[in-house]
Structures are given as C-alpha cells and as structure tokens.
Amino acid sequence: ADVKEKAAAFAEGYKAFLNAAKTEREAAAASEKLLLEAGYEKFEPKKTYTPGEKIYFIQEHKAVVAATIGQKPFEEGFRLVIAHIDSPRLDLRPTPLYESDHLSYFKTHYYGGIRKYQWVTIPLALHGVVIKKNGETVDVVIGEDESDPVIYINDLLPHLGQEQNQKPLGTAIPAENLNLLLGTRPFPGADKDAIKLNILSLLNEKYGITERDFTRAEIEVVPAHKARDVGFDRSMVGGYGHDDRVDAYPALMAEIETRNPVHTTVCVLTDKEEIGSDGVTGMQSMYVFHFMQLLCRAAGQDDILAFQNSVCLSADV
C-alpha cells in the first residue's frame, strides 16, 4: 500500500510535467526550473568542481544536461542516463497559411512516427516561437487556456467516406490532408483571400506577427487536452507525450535526488530522437561529449579514460 501511495504521488508530478512540457522547448524550460529549484548552478567550462556539486546547462533551448559531481576521479568513469524530450507531433510548414473553399487552413508536416488517424477531429493547440523581423522572440501558445479557441483537422462524415473506409488504416488519411482548420469569417471589405486575411489580422492583433514571420517561426501542433488519471481505479495516466517523458521525468528526478554519488552522474534529456537524433540538439552531435571533456580538462584528467570507464542507461518508452 505504501508503494502504491508513493507511486501515485510521483505520478502527480509527472502529470504536471506532461502538461507543462508538450514540446521539447517547453520540456527543457520546465526541467531548468526544477533544476534551479533544486540548487543546480549553470555549468562553467573552465571551473574545477568538487564532489557533491550540482551543475547543468541547456543546449540551444531544446536539450538538458545535468550532473552531480562524484567522489571518484572522472577517469574512473561517468554514470549516464539518457532519455529524449521530443515527441511525435505536427509542425507548421514555413509558409503554412492558405484559403480553400471559403475556409482557412494551416499546412503541416508530421514529425516522428505519428498514427495519422489519431490526429483528426480532436482539439489541437499551437505551441512555439516566432522571431520577428526586429529580432524580437514571441512565444505562441493557443488552445491550452480554457478561454482559448482550439483548432481541428476535419474528416469525412460516414456517408461521405465510403471510399475512405475501403482503404487500409495507414493510407485512409493521407499526410497531405492533415491541415488545420482555422476559420470561416472573411475580413471586412476584402476582395481576395478574405478568410486568410482575417486570420492574419487576428494573429497580428494578438501577437504582432505577419505572414512573413512564419518563415522565421517554429510552431508545433499538439493535442490540447491535459494529462488525466485513467480507469476507475486511477491506475493509469493518459496524456500526450509519454514518448518519452515517461523516461525523461524519472531520469531528471533521479538526478535531482542524487546526493554525493561515488561516480559523477550525468542526466541527458535530448532532442531529435524521433527523426534520427540529428542536429545540434540530438545525440549524433557532440554536446554531451564536450561537456564531459571540459569537466575532465578542468580537473587535469584524461577524457578518453573517462569515456572508456563510463556506462550509460539509454531509456525510451
């Protein structure tokens, strides 16, 4: 009974993390907040650290590295745990907004291994950033607050979908049809693309952004619902982003709770796993290796020996 009680309490923190971290940017920000609250300090490359000290850094707003310095020299190895904080989703294309048949839409492309049929006719939200022409960064979140509108990907009615019903599950909803329905009202007095213009007007009014700004934006589409208990016995959690926050959150909490370890512990919450781990925030890059190398160099130790003696738990859903 006491184990179940502890598990339920832990799940409350996990649900809060799921709700606060629907994108990799948000997951990195939520993780940084937890690390700072736990007394972690930002990593300084040329500083020599002593056992028990806790340090972290954020890689390009999208990946997290946190460590607790161990009692043994770095040359005797690091103890790493790695999970990822990106999740399958839809992304807006660089020029997403268009009008068709008196309706306005955003074009999308999918990121990671989505099940396309799961994304139609559910309430969706937009999360991301826009870099304006003057260099200002604008955070965009639409669809999460109770007062916000949500958006949908529309689908066919049963009596209009007979041909669709004959197709296999994987092809019944083509990826190019996963477009977000935005609105139906025209901009007053406009002769051309009046629906599209009205959407742009609303976005400009709230966020000060223009159509050109979408080419400098990174906006992700995620389910708008919150994490909830599932089952009459509340034995499960339903929410977006289990892949891979179900590993990332426990890995982060384990690192935070670590005190005076024998070997230096390193928790890595990485990006881009869903698409091959490429890019400067994915594990194909060198940011984790460079972190450990810098620790070794500042302490006058051999990083090759440190790597050879290290072990890593790679966790995924």
Side-chain angles (χ1 to χ4, degrees):
D2 62 325
V3 173
K4 290 179 182 177
E5 190 174 328
K6 288 177 182 176
F10 188 83
E12 291 303 309
Y14 175 52
K15 287 188 292 184
F17 189 76
L18 283 177
N19 291 335
K22 287 191 173 182
T23 70
E24 69 282 5
R25 285 179 181 271
E26 292 173 350
S31 299
E32 183 176 29
K33 184 173 183 289
L34 290 170
L35 290 167
L36 289 171
E37 289 172 354
Y40 282 70
E41 295 183 358
K42 287 192 176 181
F43 171 57
E44 297 178 31
K46 295 187 178 182
K47 182 177 177 180
T48 301
Y49 291 97
T50 57
E53 288 192 86
K54 288 178 168 287
I55 54 177
Y56 83 98
F57 75 94
I58 307 295
Q59 174 72 358
E60 300 293 342
H61 307 288
K62 291 187 173 185
V64 181
V65 178
T68 304
I69 306 301
Q71 300 166 29
K72 287 186 178 264
F74 299 133
E75 289 177 349
E76 295 196 30
F78 295 93
R79 299 293 181 263
L80 297 100
V81 58
I82 301 179
H84 68 94
I85 50 175
D86 60 319
S87 296
R89 61 173 190 261
L90 301 176
D91 288 332
L92 295 195
R93 296 191 183 189
T95 52
L97 189 59
Y98 74 100
E99 180 176 327
S100 177
D101 297 321
H102 306 291
L103 303 169
S104 187
Y105 296 92
F106 274 148
K107 295 180 194 174
T108 71
H109 56 84
Y110 62 86
Y111 171 98
I114 70 165
R115 303 275 280 172
K116 295 190 288 294
Y117 75 90
Q118 294 179 345
W119 289 77
V120 294
T121 68
I122 65 168
L124 299 169
L126 298 176
H127 291 238
V129 294
V130 179
I131 311 299
K132 295 167 68 173
K133 187 176 181 180
N134 63 4
E136 178 188 351
T137 299
V138 179
D139 292 316
V140 174
V141 178
I142 304 173
E144 296 292 351
D145 191 273
E146 291 296 327
S147 63
D148 284 350
V150 294
I151 48 181
Y152 280 84
I153 298 168
N154 48 327
D155 195 13
L156 293 171
L157 293 165
H159 60 279
L160 297 177
Q162 293 301 316
E163 182 181 343
Q164 182 191 52
N165 291 341
Q166 305 307 312
K167 295 180 180 179
L169 186 63
T171 60
I173 300 170
E176 58 268 22
N177 287 1
L178 296 177
N179 296 322
L180 304 167
L181 181 59
L182 304 177
T184 64
R185 291 180 177 173
F187 189 80
D191 296 325
K192 183 181 179 182
D193 289 339
I195 315 292
K196 172 184 171 180
L197 185 60
N198 194 50
I199 298 300
L200 281 171
S201 174
L202 293 170
L203 289 171
N204 184 262
E205 181 181 329
K206 182 167 184 177
Y207 294 103
I209 58 177
T210 66
E211 185 170 19
R212 179 64 178 169
D213 290 331
F214 282 111
T215 63
R216 296 183 295 269
E218 185 179 76
I219 297 178
E220 302 173 16
V221 184
V222 298
H225 56 256
K226 304 291 186 185
R228 300 283 295 274
D229 291 337
V230 174
F232 289 165
D233 59 358
R234 297 180 179 270
S235 61
M236 297 168 282
V237 171
Y240 168 71
H242 283 315
D243 185 4
D244 186 34
R245 289 154 183 72
V246 74
D247 288 306
Y249 180 73
L252 180 67
M253 298 312 293
E255 164 57 37
I256 286 174
E257 292 173 12
T258 295
R259 297 288 183 272
N260 299 312
V262 175
H263 296 86
T264 296
T265 61
V266 181
C267 172
V268 180
L269 307 183
T270 192
D271 182 28
K272 297 292 187 285
E273 187 277 340
E274 295 289 347
I275 56 170
S277 298
D278 293 321
V280 294
T281 55
M283 287 307 295
Q284 300 277 15
S285 68
M286 294 295 290
Y287 71 94
V288 179
F289 290 99
H290 288 162
F291 168 70
M292 294 188 291
Q293 284 178 316
L294 289 166
L295 281 178
C296 289
R297 290 177 184 181
Q301 297 182 41
D302 190 318
D303 56 278
I304 295 177
L305 282 176
F307 294 159
Q308 289 177 339
N309 291 320
S310 294
V311 292
C312 173
L313 172 64
S314 177
D316 202 347
V317 68

